[in-house]
Amino acid sequence: MSENRSGCMLVVTPHPGDIELGIGGLVAKTTKEGKDVVFVVCTDASKGTSIVNMKPGVMSAVREKEQLDAASILGVREVVFLHHPDLGLENVPDLTREILALVLKYRPQVVVTCDPTLKYLSNPDHRAVGRAVIDAVWPFAMAVNAYPELREKDETHRVDEILLWQPAEPDYYYDITDTFETKLAAFKAHKTQAGDPMRPDFAKKFRDSAINDAKDRGYELGEKVHRIKIPEIL
Ligand SMILES: [Zn+2]
């Protein structure tokens, strides 16, 4: 059943916390403009810790709560959890289909995810999600005969653009001067990742990177993406 959420921004992340780090300023800016943003969290985040005594089930529950808190700070009302095993997305054969179903349900104007093309130190979940999201948007969402069981009345959907955060090749920048503090507060909600209280070097890193992403652009703090315009036809 498709919901009339046309024009929303759909943000698909492998793990809790990645969105806030990569694109939290843009998300806060988008909700501030009154637009709907929906988060999709693909894994249960059960392995994202070096704390020896943290059991996977406990870790998942804690991180899910942290993600809901962060979303609320950013003005995001809806978070979908897919609960796949952490560090296991490369072994999920239907990930593209699952994301396609969400694209057809929410009919977003913009889809945001992580860059699957990073070299070296590239998390396998990030490669799997980035690839599956791009494939789901183009060509699958526009290919009426692919997964017909997901479509009502042969519906297709064309997303305007995909944005990749922490891009290997940045080519577009956003002014997040007004929402930088919200981005920081949202990341702070991920206490298992940021520290409690937040490690002071993190705040400095965030600011330095935002200053760098605004350099020579006429604003104070920025965020970078790689932007993919989706063609009108397959
Ligand atoms: Zn991640």
Side-chain angles (χ1 to χ4, degrees), residues 49-65:
T49 182
S50 44
I51 305 167
V52 178
N53 291 325
M54 187 71 106
K55 294 270 183 289
V58 177
M59 188 64 184
S60 289
V62 170
R63 293 199 62 191
E64 202 166 300
K65 170 77 170 62

Side-chain angles (χ1 to χ4, degrees), residues 31-172:
T31 60
K32 223 175 156 184
E33 287 165 4
K35 292 181 191 154
D36 256 348
V37 178
V38 177
F39 283 177
V40 178
V41 182
C42 296
T43 70
D44 62 10
S46 54
K47 300 188 181 76
T49 182
S50 44
I51 305 167
V52 178
N53 291 325
M54 187 71 106
K55 294 270 183 289
V58 177
M59 188 64 184
S60 289
V62 170
R63 293 199 62 191
E64 202 166 300
K65 170 77 170 62
E66 290 176 348
Q67 184 61 77
L68 290 170
D69 291 346
S72 153
I73 292 168
L74 293 171
V76 174
R77 289 193 301 260
E78 187 168 357
V79 185
V80 178
F81 292 96
L82 300 182
H83 297 124
H84 288 300
D86 198 3
L87 293 177
L89 288 180
E90 284 183 313
N91 302 318
V92 177
D94 286 339
L95 192 58
T96 302
R97 184 186 186 280
E98 241 178 301
I99 292 166
L100 172 63
L102 294 165
V103 169
L104 293 172
K105 176 180 175 184
Y106 291 106
R107 308 186 72 74
Q109 190 176 1
V110 179
V111 172
V112 193
T113 192
C114 51
D115 189 338
T117 70
L118 287 184
K119 278 177 157 186
Y120 315 125
L121 296 186
S122 151
N123 184 303
D125 288 341
H126 288 227
R127 296 197 297 269
V129 169
R131 199 61 258 168
V133 171
I134 295 170
D135 290 348
V137 168
W138 194 98
F140 283 104
M142 293 169 66
V144 70
N145 293 331
Y147 301 111
E149 73 279 11
L150 297 179
R151 303 171 195 270
E152 281 178 79
K153 297 182 194 147
D154 295 338
E155 64 173 347
T156 56
H157 178 66
R158 182 177 159 269
V159 170
D160 285 351
E161 60 182 14
I162 299 174
L163 307 176
L164 304 178
W165 70 70
Q166 291 179 332
E169 295 168 13
D171 62 0
Y172 201 80

